[in-house]
């Protein structure tokens, strides 16, 4: 398995897609029930293959990721050949970006000496989607890139 298996809830949400996936392998509902009952290891393998296919499709479309911690925000733009990063760090230990008050403080104090901006880029390894997945596994969320675009403009002005 390349990524992680979809959760039970995710698999339930995708039951139609999973049925189509099984159909491409000429497995109908009756045969699937038999496989689950008598060959659980084969059923597990099918779930793993399906999960990887779903992840691959999602990761192909991901352009932006965001990761928040108490004192940092990492914003990723996933372009064709590399990951571009904008990082914002708050040096004041009393500010917690994970709550509304801390985030509001950041919005009101972007040019404060307590706020640092960094930017960097990193080429992908051999497998671009696996690199994206690792960032997601570390807690990043898939986004549409609004924050990245906003902070990109701020950094260009500096």
């Amino acid at each position: 398995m390349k990524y992680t298996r979809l959760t039970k809830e995710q698999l339930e949400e995708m039951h139609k897609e999973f049925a189509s996936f099984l159909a491409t392998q000429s497995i109908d509902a009756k045969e699937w029930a038999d496989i689950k009952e008598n060959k659980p290891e084969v059923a597990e393998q099918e779930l793993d293959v399906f999960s990887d296919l779903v992840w691959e499709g999602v990761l192909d479309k991901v352009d932006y990721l965001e990761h928040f911690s108490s004192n940092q925000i990492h914003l990723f733009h996933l372009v064709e050949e590399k990951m571009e990063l904008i990082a914002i760090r708050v040096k004041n230990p009393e500010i917690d970006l994970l709550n509304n008050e801390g985030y509001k403080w950041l919005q009101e104090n972007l040019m404060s000496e307590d706020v640092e901006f960094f930017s960097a880029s990193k080429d992908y390894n051999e497998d671009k989607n696996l690199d994206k997945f690792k960032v997601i596994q570390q807690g990043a969320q898939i986004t549409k890139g609004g924050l990245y675009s906003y902070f990109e403009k701020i950094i260009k002005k500096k």
Side-chain angles (χ1 to χ4, degrees):
M1 172 159 232
K2 186 174 178 180
Y3 304 111
T4 58
R5 182 178 300 168
L6 298 174
T7 64
K8 182 180 179 190
E9 293 80 15
Q10 290 168 325
L11 287 166
E12 286 172 0
E13 284 287 320
M14 301 192 76
H15 70 276
K16 289 180 183 176
E17 292 85 351
F18 186 64
S20 295
F21 166 76
L22 291 174
T24 64
Q25 300 176 64
S26 301
I27 300 173
D28 61 18
K30 183 180 175 188
E31 187 174 353
W32 176 242
D34 181 59
I35 290 170
K36 288 193 306 185
E37 179 72 28
N38 299 310
K39 299 177 188 173
E41 67 286 347
V42 173
E44 298 287 321
Q45 290 171 356
E46 293 294 340
L47 291 170
D48 290 347
V49 170
F50 178 73
S51 294
D52 278 349
L53 286 171
V54 170
W55 272 113
E56 202 67 42
V58 168
L59 294 167
D60 281 342
K61 296 175 184 169
V62 172
D63 291 324
Y64 294 94
L65 295 171
E66 296 176 359
H67 184 271
F68 281 72
S69 65
S70 61
N71 69 333
Q72 294 187 50
I73 301 173
H74 291 115
L75 307 169
F76 298 90
H77 185 196
L78 309 169
V79 295
E80 188 61 34
E81 65 284 340
K82 63 187 173 186
M83 288 185 183
E84 297 176 344
L85 168 70
I86 295 174
I88 302 102
R89 183 168 75 99
V90 175
K91 296 188 285 185
N92 182 340
E94 295 177 20
I95 304 301
D96 183 353
L97 297 172
L98 296 175
N99 66 45
N100 288 336
E101 295 81 27
Y103 190 73
K104 184 174 181 180
W105 180 92
L106 175 64
Q107 290 174 314
E108 295 170 354
N109 295 279
L110 281 177
M111 298 307 155
S112 162
E113 289 183 10
D114 281 333
V115 179
E116 295 178 323
F117 293 92
F118 305 94
S119 61
S121 64
K122 177 185 179 282
D123 290 340
Y124 295 113
N125 294 312
E126 300 86 46
D127 189 334
K128 173 172 45 173
N129 282 348
L130 192 55
D131 288 348
K132 294 177 184 181
F133 183 75
K134 287 177 182 176
V135 176
I136 292 169
Q137 285 295 100
Q138 294 169 1
Q141 302 292 314
I142 298 169
T143 71
K144 294 183 179 182
L147 272 182
Y148 185 94
S149 298
Y150 177 79
F151 282 108
E152 183 179 39
K153 290 174 188 165
I154 289 174
I155 288 175
K156 286 183 179 177
K157 288 180 184 177
K158 282 189 134 192

